[in-house]
Amino acid sequence: MRHFAVVGSGPAGFYTAEALEKAYGDRARIDILDRYPVPYGLIRFGVAPDHQSLKAVSKRYDKVAESASVDFIGNVSVGGDVSVAELLELYDAVILAVGAPNDRKLGIPGEDLAGVVGSAEFVGWYNGHPEFADLDPPLGGTHAAVIGNGNVALDCARILSKTRHEFEGSDIVGHALDALDHSAIRTVTILGRRGPHQIAMTPKELGEVGHLEDAVPVVDMADFPPPEADEPLEPGLRKSVTLLRGFADLEANKSKTMVFDFFAKPVAIEGDGRAERIVVERTQLDENGAARGTGETYEVPASLVITAIGYSTPPLQGVAYDERGTKFLNDSGRIADRLYAVGWARRGPTGTIGTNRPDGYEVADHVVADMPAGSAGDRAGAGGLKRLLESRGVMPTDYQDWRKIEQTEESRARPGCPREKFVRVDDWLKTLGR
Ligand code: NAP
């Protein structure tokens, strides 16, 4: 019997477990570990609450968790309660699927002022991540800015722009819904350091912001090249750029605006003890397509600044780390003997949820190549892990515990909302009678 530990229960972890289960059948036990008693990682804490169809992929993960060879072991912090080296003693292979939960830093003056928050913090706040339950982002000013031109920036800008009514059917947590409902923000400026042809926003997500109830997107056509320059673009990007161009035809007859400010590189955030404005430098593209400052600067007012410029994987003791790439140092998912990485911890923070499926299957193939199905293993697996945790006073949770939490969250839901999430670890544990 082989014993595998998958660390992290987000999409990458679940697809890897699914692939291992298919490859080994009942000749392996696969444990999916998570630091929280609730699974799904990015699906629960990252995917926007008004994108329920994307969140529905967790139903597929439920099937994996319910299969005979797979167990969910929650409430265990790898790197805290147990080390990677200890897991390698207990398991034949350890697959790190810990994602990239940390915000990358801009590295400009004023970044640490109150009112400047990373997208992981802001997204975590409205999605019920316990670390960010108390974030309390300042929503009392009329201007906010989001830095970055990816889908996360768009998520943040959209959430700031929606009406309470537009959150119906979503699972945004109550504290965020109430705060956003009382928000004074009327202008959200999205700052892109490059131009419309360099955005990382996808058409479906961009299309949505053209149909908001009380907010209208605004673009400046002077930022766009002539329309014929769109022709050579990859079809998805061309569609996104066409949507952006279309925003110029929308009437600005709503109470909020979402301003797309291109060729705009933040150089400082200023304010008296808290963010009040961003100093932005105009850019132009150099011969390599990078943003080069022109020296011309201007100010964008913002009492809330959200940086949405990408994420990084936190280092884990004893695991080689690629400082430049913000992920574990790995070769096609192999980190070291019997130690692998998948998902954002392997590739860096790019790609959609679906990208993790081939990624997880590929790494599972490496595991199979390294220890073919049917080969013997003599590790202790979950039994050994649980004994070790018990000796340290750590009480893990299992999949049935998660179902109890889930049912309680569903029973607390307000009308039209699938669940009201608990936002504190203590509340999860209380649900389990602990
Ligand atoms: P992303 O797509 O990599 O976008 C990051 C953005 O930040 C880029 O526009 C980048 O500009 C900009 N940026 C980086 N460093 C900067 C700096 N120092 N100053 C100013 N701007 C800077 O990352 P993401 O938005 O975090 O998304 C991560 C992944 O999740 C992506 O693959 C995304 O598509 C996916 N996602 C998908 C959905 C969805 O499907 N609904 C939702 C959310 C996220 P440059 O291009 O100039 O570097």
Side-chain angles (χ1 to χ4, degrees), residues 302-317:
S303 46
L304 168 64
V305 178
I306 301 171
T307 60
I309 59 164
Y311 298 122
S312 65
T313 298
L316 263 175
Q317 201 193 357

Side-chain angles (χ1 to χ4, degrees), residues 141-154:
T142 51
H143 287 70
V146 183
I147 300 171
N149 264 182
N151 279 328
V152 172
L154 208 47

Side-chain angles (χ1 to χ4, degrees), residues 51 54 104 106 147-153 155 193-194 198 200 202 205 266 308-311 344 349-352:
H51 283 170
L54 280 178
R104 282 188 51 221
L106 271 171
I147 300 171
N149 264 182
N151 279 328
V152 172
D155 277 350
R193 62 180 169 180
R194 298 192 291 158
Q198 287 76 37
T202 43
E205 286 63 32
I309 59 164
Y311 298 122
W344 284 5
T350 59
T352 60

